[in-house]
Amino acid sequence: MRLLFDPPPQLKEELADATYIVPFDLDPDGNPAEGILAVQQGTVKTYVNHKLIHSVPIDKLADVKIHLGIGCAELASVGDDDKEPYLLARFTQTHTERMAELGRAIRIYNNTGVYIESDDQNERICFTCGHRIIRGTSICPYCTKKTSVISRFAQIARPYIGRFVLVTSLLLLASMAGILIPVFNKSLVDNHLVPQKGPVGTALMWVALILLCHLVATFVSMYANRKSVWVGNALSNDLRTLAYSRVQALSVNSMSKRTPGDLMNRITSDTSVIQGFISHVGQTVLLQIVSIVVVTTIMLFTNWKLTLWAYLPVPLTVVVIRWFWRTIHLKFSRQWRWGSRANSILYDIIRGIRVVKSFGNEKIEIEKFQGVSKKLADVSEENEKLWATLSPLLAFVIGCGEFLVLYFGGQDVLHLYDVGRGGMTVGELIQFMSFLGYIYGPLHTLSRFPQQLANFFTSSAKLFEILDEEQDVPDKDVVEDVEIQGRITFEDVHFGYNSYEPVIKGISFEIQPGEMVGIVGPSGVGKSTLINLIMRFYDVTSGQLLIDGHDIRNISQRSLRENIGVVFQETFLFAGTIYDNIAYAKPGAEPEEIFAATKIANAHEFIIKLPDGYNTRIGENGFTMSGGERQRLAIARAVLRNPSILILDEATASLDTETEHLIQEALERLIKGRTTFAIAHRLSTLRHADRLICIDKGKIAEMGSHDELMEKQGVYYRLVMAQRQTSKMADADIEAIVAGK
Ligand code: ADP
């Protein structure tokens, strides 16, 4: 969130080097005022109407928090023994969120000595125009650069431009043929059906021409529509693939900042909106505009007065439709929000159904869902009622237009027949009536066009945000594809997921090829973070991480990941057969290699006992595997991959003794000859590691073999003792159960 705004001109010089400048709007008595809260050189300063009213050193402020009042709120520090309470600013609700962020920044500074960065992420309001920013993005739908969006689409759509022009020209031809039908009809009626009877030959010619126009309009548009479907789908396929491949390339860091739903929306919904706009809306609007111009010109030449009558209901219709869309747009976004809330409740509950059932909370969950579902139904009902009102209303307005044309046109026709000149022929009136459809029909589409255009630009901006996202762990221009032996060196590595929250604080060690190292320590100290660094999901903040003496940033990510195998506590299996799931580690592996891998992983036995053996389907409607079985498949995958570095993250946690034994045996075979980096919750499983590195508070607390560390009686010793105590208690419980107490 932005915490550094431009100071008012009166304070420009005084606050030139401020770290944060946040405006607010009330004085301490609650009267409207122009306030500024600034953090400058370790001091928090409050200005009201450009005058400094308080100044306090930042470290004197304890636990700065927002206190909500009625109609206003204040940012203040809570008093404690040696730090005075302090009112920093009073403001209306609009400033609450930003002030809360400033309070957080002050707290973080006092705890860590680091100022968090002021940026425009997670902003709700656009600074340029004041409109709401699209949730989860930094995009303002009103400020997206339209020209750059169009030029980028021109690039993406380049392979299809030839076909696109062809389709549009054909559709234009078809609609011109359609427009000619009333023109020929007029000649037919005027020359052959009303009193002046012309020769039969010409009548037949008009009939043939009308038929020809019908045929052209029908078949050309049939062909063009089929082509258009092809272009649209090819384009949307390109867009989806582009977005999907970009999402695959996103770093773990970028992925963890977004929800799966958001990414899925961008790949599916946003690309459909774009495709729909390019291949249907844009084309239809173009055709309709051309048709309106042509038809209106013919009408004006035929009878300009009647044309004005025909256009009389148009402004009213446009006003009605625009009002309708403005209203429905707001209502639709409400419907969409309730719909998405209902979906996320469903998603959560279906995923966590075991927890719901185990707490017996089904009724509460049903009530919660019922509440949201009822809201959704109410909002949908309102919207549909509005729809249901609009169509007859529009039909009425258009009916009025037709009536006007028929009435005044009819009078003209009668005048012509009465007086013999100065009026309109029957054929012309029929032609007029047919053309009305060309004017009134597109009103609906055209008045929706601004909304659709806005949606198109919003979806495009969301898509381009993903396509343009900078890689935060990029491969350098020149990277090495190295054959990795497995020496891992940490040299004074520092790292934090956030700049103000270091997790790894200066770690140095070296693991030799083939060595098995266990990483131990209390939870939350940064063990998994070390794995994230070795996998290069994140880059170190300072220091160096070397693999075989090469800085990890100089090795191509492809060759790095090819040489690392992982077995996590949770094994993710894709829907598909067991065979495919194992082969995922090495696409194109020979069946013999797969069987050999499953044998090493102690998985072959249980797989062949399944009715479909290796062809058993996993996942939806398929076979559900136990934790131990999944883990053995993960080991088989790792064996098949044959990596020089192996990472085991809590690989044997939460398993029964027998399964654990099978897995332990498989792991022992797997780790032979590979550099192994293992984290285990149960310390006994790491007893045979060549070396144990004990991490505490982001630093290495101690390092050595199990025996050495036990002798030292330090952090590791205490962890082991604590675990023994827990397992003794568990054993005592078991004994008590066995003894029937
Ligand atoms: P351990 O594996 O030792 O239990 P972790 O390495 O998972 O600990 O986490 C170390 C610290 O980093 C924890 O305080 C955790 O909250 C934090 N952390 C872990 N992953 C992230 C992340 N993606 N973003 C921000 N903080 C994280």
Side-chain angles (χ1 to χ4, degrees), residues 256 497-498 501 503 522-530 532 538 679:
S256 60
Y497 294 97
N498 299 310
E501 224 167 20
V503 175
S523 83
V525 291
K527 301 186 295 294
S528 306
T529 306
L530 288 181
N532 287 342
Y538 299 84
I679 298 178

Short mmCIF file of all heavy atoms in Angstrom, two decimals, residues 256 497-498 501 503 522-530 532 538 679, ligand 1:
data_model
loop_
_atom_site.label_atom_id
_atom_site.label_comp_id
_atom_site.label_asym_id
_atom_site.label_seq_id
_atom_site.Cartn_x
_atom_site.Cartn_y
_atom_site.Cartn_z
N SER A 256 2.36 -17.74 -4.92
CA SER A 256 1.82 -17.79 -3.56
C SER A 256 1.09 -16.49 -3.20
O SER A 256 0.34 -16.46 -2.25
CB SER A 256 2.91 -18.11 -2.54
OG SER A 256 3.90 -17.13 -2.60
N TYR A 497 11.32 -13.71 3.36
CA TYR A 497 10.25 -13.61 2.36
C TYR A 497 9.82 -12.15 2.20
O TYR A 497 9.43 -11.73 1.13
CB TYR A 497 9.05 -14.46 2.78
CG TYR A 497 9.37 -15.94 2.77
CD1 TYR A 497 9.74 -16.60 3.94
CD2 TYR A 497 9.33 -16.66 1.59
CE1 TYR A 497 10.04 -17.94 3.94
CE2 TYR A 497 9.64 -18.02 1.58
CZ TYR A 497 9.99 -18.65 2.76
OH TYR A 497 10.31 -19.98 2.74
N ASN A 498 9.92 -11.39 3.32
CA ASN A 498 9.67 -9.96 3.27
C ASN A 498 10.94 -9.26 3.71
O ASN A 498 11.66 -9.77 4.56
CB ASN A 498 8.55 -9.58 4.24
CG ASN A 498 7.26 -10.28 3.86
OD1 ASN A 498 6.86 -10.25 2.70
ND2 ASN A 498 6.66 -10.94 4.83
N GLU A 501 11.51 -8.99 7.45
CA GLU A 501 11.36 -10.17 8.30
C GLU A 501 12.39 -11.23 7.90
O GLU A 501 12.05 -12.17 7.19
CB GLU A 501 9.95 -10.73 8.08
CG GLU A 501 9.27 -11.13 9.35
CD GLU A 501 7.78 -11.36 9.09
OE1 GLU A 501 7.38 -11.58 7.91
OE2 GLU A 501 7.05 -11.32 10.05
N VAL A 503 14.41 -14.49 7.67
CA VAL A 503 14.15 -15.86 8.16
C VAL A 503 15.48 -16.58 8.33
O VAL A 503 15.74 -17.21 9.35
CB VAL A 503 13.23 -16.62 7.17
CG1 VAL A 503 13.05 -18.06 7.60
CG2 VAL A 503 11.88 -15.93 7.07
N PRO A 522 13.40 -26.54 15.94
CA PRO A 522 11.98 -26.35 16.23
C PRO A 522 11.24 -25.89 14.98
O PRO A 522 11.87 -25.47 14.01
CB PRO A 522 11.98 -25.23 17.28
CG PRO A 522 13.38 -25.07 17.72
CD PRO A 522 14.27 -25.63 16.68
N SER A 523 9.90 -25.94 15.02
CA SER A 523 9.21 -25.56 13.78
C SER A 523 9.19 -24.05 13.62
O SER A 523 9.26 -23.29 14.58
CB SER A 523 7.81 -26.16 13.76
OG SER A 523 6.95 -25.38 14.45
N GLY A 524 9.17 -23.64 12.33
CA GLY A 524 9.14 -22.20 12.02
C GLY A 524 10.50 -21.53 12.06
O GLY A 524 10.58 -20.31 11.97
N VAL A 525 11.60 -22.31 12.13
CA VAL A 525 12.91 -21.66 12.21
C VAL A 525 13.56 -21.46 10.84
O VAL A 525 14.59 -20.81 10.73
CB VAL A 525 13.90 -22.42 13.13
CG1 VAL A 525 13.47 -22.35 14.57
CG2 VAL A 525 14.07 -23.85 12.66
N GLY A 526 12.98 -22.06 9.81
CA GLY A 526 13.51 -21.82 8.47
C GLY A 526 14.07 -23.06 7.79
O GLY A 526 14.81 -22.94 6.81
N LYS A 527 13.66 -24.26 8.23
CA LYS A 527 14.20 -25.49 7.61
C LYS A 527 13.69 -25.62 6.17
O LYS A 527 14.46 -25.83 5.25
CB LYS A 527 13.79 -26.72 8.45
CG LYS A 527 14.29 -26.66 9.89
CD LYS A 527 14.01 -27.92 10.66
CE LYS A 527 12.55 -28.21 10.89
NZ LYS A 527 11.84 -27.26 11.76
N SER A 528 12.36 -25.48 6.02
CA SER A 528 11.82 -25.60 4.66
C SER A 528 12.31 -24.46 3.78
O SER A 528 12.44 -24.62 2.56
CB SER A 528 10.30 -25.59 4.68
OG SER A 528 9.84 -26.57 5.54
N THR A 529 12.58 -23.33 4.40
CA THR A 529 13.08 -22.20 3.63
C THR A 529 14.42 -22.55 2.98
O THR A 529 14.69 -22.17 1.84
CB THR A 529 13.22 -20.97 4.56
OG1 THR A 529 11.97 -20.77 5.20
CG2 THR A 529 13.62 -19.74 3.81
N LEU A 530 15.27 -23.31 3.71
CA LEU A 530 16.55 -23.73 3.12
C LEU A 530 16.31 -24.55 1.86
O LEU A 530 17.00 -24.40 0.86
CB LEU A 530 17.34 -24.56 4.13
CG LEU A 530 17.94 -23.80 5.34
CD1 LEU A 530 18.70 -24.75 6.23
CD2 LEU A 530 18.86 -22.69 4.86
N ASN A 532 13.68 -24.35 -0.08
CA ASN A 532 13.22 -23.42 -1.12
C ASN A 532 14.39 -22.73 -1.79
O ASN A 532 14.35 -22.43 -2.98
CB ASN A 532 12.30 -22.36 -0.51
CG ASN A 532 10.96 -22.93 -0.15
OD1 ASN A 532 10.60 -24.00 -0.63
ND2 ASN A 532 10.23 -22.26 0.71
N TYR A 538 13.31 -19.24 -4.53
CA TYR A 538 13.59 -17.85 -4.16
C TYR A 538 15.10 -17.64 -4.29
O TYR A 538 15.86 -18.59 -4.23
CB TYR A 538 13.19 -17.59 -2.71
CG TYR A 538 11.73 -17.80 -2.42
CD1 TYR A 538 11.22 -19.07 -2.15
CD2 TYR A 538 10.85 -16.73 -2.41
CE1 TYR A 538 9.87 -19.26 -1.89
CE2 TYR A 538 9.50 -16.90 -2.15
CZ TYR A 538 9.02 -18.17 -1.89
OH TYR A 538 7.68 -18.36 -1.64
N ILE A 679 14.74 -33.26 6.09
CA ILE A 679 14.13 -32.65 7.27
C ILE A 679 13.18 -33.70 7.82
O ILE A 679 12.41 -34.28 7.05
CB ILE A 679 13.26 -31.43 6.88
CG1 ILE A 679 14.11 -30.36 6.24
CG2 ILE A 679 12.54 -30.88 8.08
CD1 ILE A 679 13.31 -29.16 5.80
P1 ADP B 1 10.24 -24.68 9.25
O1 ADP B 1 10.38 -25.47 8.00
O2 ADP B 1 11.48 -24.63 10.05
O3 ADP B 1 9.07 -25.08 10.10
P2 ADP B 1 9.76 -22.50 7.44
O4 ADP B 1 11.03 -22.43 6.68
O5 ADP B 1 8.60 -23.15 6.77
O6 ADP B 1 9.98 -23.14 8.86
O7 ADP B 1 9.29 -21.02 7.83
C1 ADP B 1 10.19 -20.10 8.44
C2 ADP B 1 9.42 -18.78 8.60
O8 ADP B 1 9.13 -18.22 7.33
C3 ADP B 1 8.11 -18.93 9.33
O9 ADP B 1 8.00 -17.84 10.23
C4 ADP B 1 7.07 -18.83 8.25
O10 ADP B 1 5.91 -18.20 8.74
C5 ADP B 1 7.75 -17.94 7.22
N1 ADP B 1 7.31 -18.29 5.85
C6 ADP B 1 7.36 -19.50 5.27
N2 ADP B 1 6.92 -19.44 3.99
C7 ADP B 1 6.58 -18.15 3.76
C8 ADP B 1 6.08 -17.42 2.62
N3 ADP B 1 5.82 -18.02 1.45
N4 ADP B 1 5.85 -16.10 2.77
C9 ADP B 1 6.11 -15.48 3.93
N5 ADP B 1 6.61 -16.08 5.01
C10 ADP B 1 6.84 -17.40 4.96
#
